[in-house]
Amino acid sequence: MDINRTLTTMTRMKLAAAAALSSLALLTGCATPLAGKTPDEATRKVMLQNWQNASYNFDAQIGFDKLAFTDADSDGGAKSAKPDIADIIDQVGRSIRVNVSGAVDVPTGRVEAIPELRFERRNLMSSIKVPLQFHAQDMSLLVDPSAVDLFLPSLRKQSGKFIRAKLPAEIASQIPLKAMYQAMPKIIDDAYAQADKQAFSFQPLDAYAGEIGAHYKLRMDLSREQEQKLTLQMLEGLAKVAREQAKPSTDKPGEDKSGAEAMIRLVQGLIKLDPVSGDKSRTVSDIYASRGGDLLALRQKVHIEAPEFSGDAYVNVRYSHYGKPQFVYQLSENDIVDFDKLDLPDWLKDTDKLLPGEHAEAPAAAAPAEPQAQAAQPQAKPKKKRKARRAQ
């Protein structure tokens, strides 16, 4: 027996096994969540994964590349605005931009958004920024009012603090936030599954994909009608969840519609009344995803055609810090003052009564009690006069 030949054979077998294992590892690594999927299936997967992994930072820019208004003529038709006015409108539209940075962390129930409205020209720049936070645990919205406290001197007494407004308990209890969130993956998937398959496509990677490290670029090209249908179907799904979770009212047994469902129906109505033409308006969305299917960026071109105006807008969103979102403001109770404890001017007092609920109805019901008691005495006197007249 040739020992050298045996050792050589064993070495070759080990090398072959190592090569096979390496090839298997490479093949396994290539089997990404988007591999082998059609464009519409890949898009649905990315959108679902983004919702399910809702813990990240985002930065968005919204603005116009073109904006033109039209005037109505004497016959009721539309005509272009005067050239000088049209040019001013277009230039103003292009100079306005909205930047929004923020963080989403569903496990802790926090959302932070810092919108900034900017007007910028070569030698002119103005902006206003209003930081916001939403806390799902107590359904509260926190606002930094420093951008407007110049006009509300009483707010300057709370300088540096966020103002907190909470939904009344009777309204908050009617919003099944947890159930709606849990139902969203199926609602999103069902809505996108109904969209035209021809609206989705894979696109070649571009320079921006290389800049953010994207391995996939998907495109979704929807008409206004298709986009409207998609949105309405999602709202219908949310309304169904709200209706199923609603607790029947003991005071008003015939009214089973929850406050959440009523708000959703209102949004549905507004979308249906949208005057934007469905034939000419379109939204082209480029979706950039990682090898693992995470949504890295969304870049939209929106063409709008309406009776009063037309325009080309853009919406660019970049996602980052998946799993470890970074919040700009770490607020404690010492950094917050409740809205109902503010010393507000008269025109802002009783603002909470604009919200529906028992807290607004109670004062209205109690107020007439005293006038009615006072009015009872004057009503008795005319009867005596009538009797006196009859006696005469």
Side-chain angles (χ1 to χ4, degrees):
M1 182 177 180
D2 191 341
I3 297 178
N4 291 332
R5 183 178 295 178
T6 302
L7 291 174
T8 302
T9 302
M10 292 177 65
T11 302
R12 287 177 179 174
M13 290 175 64
K14 289 180 180 179
L15 290 173
L21 290 172
S22 298
S23 299
L24 181 61
L26 288 172
L27 288 172
T28 304
C30 291
T32 69
L34 304 185
K37 294 189 180 296
T38 61
D40 65 297
E41 290 173 341
T43 301
R44 287 159 58 187
K45 176 63 180 176
V46 172
M47 293 302 182
L48 282 175
Q49 191 159 310
N50 177 257
W51 184 266
Q52 292 167 339
N53 301 336
S55 185
Y56 48 74
N57 282 89
F58 65 89
D59 291 278
Q61 297 83 40
I62 306 166
F64 280 95
D65 289 322
K66 179 182 177 183
L67 184 62
F69 280 80
T70 55
D71 296 328
D73 56 26
S74 57
D75 298 328
K79 62 180 181 180
S80 298
K82 295 179 180 179
D84 53 345
I85 298 177
D87 180 65
I88 292 173
I89 291 173
D90 183 49
Q91 290 297 316
V92 170
R94 294 183 187 211
S95 301
I96 294 176
R97 185 176 66 190
V98 178
N99 297 333
V100 186
S101 61
V104 176
D105 191 18
V106 169
T108 62
R110 286 192 302 163
V111 177
E112 181 177 78
I114 308 176
E116 179 185 17
L117 177 64
R118 296 176 66 90
F119 182 84
E120 191 168 358
R121 304 284 290 174
R122 195 169 100 179
N123 294 322
L124 174 64
M125 196 274 286
S126 62
S127 67
I128 181 171
K129 186 184 294 186
V130 183
L132 308 166
Q133 277 195 8
F134 172 72
H135 294 181
Q137 292 88 343
D138 57 358
M139 298 295 284
S140 64
L141 180 67
L142 291 82
V143 184
D144 180 356
S146 59
V148 296
D149 66 6
L150 178 65
F151 310 100
L152 296 170
S154 58
L155 292 181
R156 291 201 290 273
K157 298 177 183 178
Q158 308 292 342
S159 179
K161 292 192 176 183
F162 275 64
I163 306 301
R164 177 169 58 193
K166 294 182 182 180
L167 275 179
E170 64 271 18
I171 297 178
S173 64
Q174 295 180 16
I175 302 178
L177 202 60
K178 184 177 180 180
M180 292 166 75
Y181 174 77
Q182 292 174 341
M184 274 305 292
K186 187 177 187 309
I187 291 173
I188 293 173
D189 197 49
D190 289 345
Y192 277 94
Q194 297 299 319
D196 184 1
K197 303 295 186 291
Q198 302 301 317
F200 304 89
S201 63
F202 282 111
Q203 296 291 314
L205 296 178
D206 52 19
Y208 184 70
E211 179 184 332
I212 64 175
H215 284 78
Y216 295 94
K217 180 183 176 182
L218 294 151
R219 177 164 293 176
M220 183 170 56
D221 188 349
L222 299 176
S223 67
R224 182 62 181 174
E225 182 181 358
Q226 291 172 320
E227 191 175 27
Q228 187 181 52
K229 184 178 178 181
L230 189 73
T231 305
L232 287 173
Q233 186 168 341
M234 289 185 186
L235 290 172
E236 181 62 38
L238 286 174
K240 182 180 178 182
V241 174
R243 183 169 59 253
E244 291 173 347
Q245 295 292 322
K247 298 177 181 178
S249 174
T250 55
D251 298 332
K252 302 176 182 179
E255 298 183 10
D256 291 333
K257 184 179 291 188
S258 70
E261 185 183 0
M263 287 189 287
I264 294 169
R265 296 299 183 195
L266 176 61
V267 176
Q268 282 181 310
L270 293 174
I271 292 175
K272 290 178 181 179
L273 293 174
D274 189 347
V276 177
S277 170
D279 296 331
K280 297 180 180 179
S281 299
R282 301 195 72 82
T283 300
V284 179
S285 304
D286 285 337
I287 300 163
Y288 294 83
S290 68
R291 183 185 294 276
D294 286 329
L295 178 61
L296 299 181
L298 176 67
R299 296 166 72 87
Q300 293 183 315
K301 293 290 185 182
V302 185
H303 178 68
I304 306 169
E305 286 282 350
E308 298 85 6
F309 71 96
S310 63
D312 293 318
Y314 62 85
V315 179
N316 299 327
V317 187
R318 174 81 167 90
Y319 299 85
S320 60
H321 297 105
Y322 270 96
K324 296 181 179 179
Q326 299 177 1
F327 285 75
V328 175
Y329 299 95
Q330 301 293 339
L331 303 174
S332 66
E333 283 298 318
N334 292 331
D335 304 314
I336 301 169
V337 59
D338 287 312
F339 179 80
D340 57 2
K341 294 180 181 178
L342 292 175
D343 182 17
L344 297 172
D346 292 340
W347 62 275
L348 268 180
K349 288 179 180 178
D350 299 331
T351 307
D352 59 330
K353 293 181 181 179
L354 296 176
L355 292 172
E358 294 177 2
H359 69 292
E361 294 173 0
E370 187 176 350
Q372 285 177 358
Q374 294 175 352
Q377 295 177 356
Q379 286 176 357
K381 293 179 180 179
K383 291 181 180 178
K384 294 179 179 180
K385 291 181 179 179
R386 288 174 187 169
K387 289 181 180 179
R389 288 174 184 172
R390 288 176 185 172
Q392 291 175 356

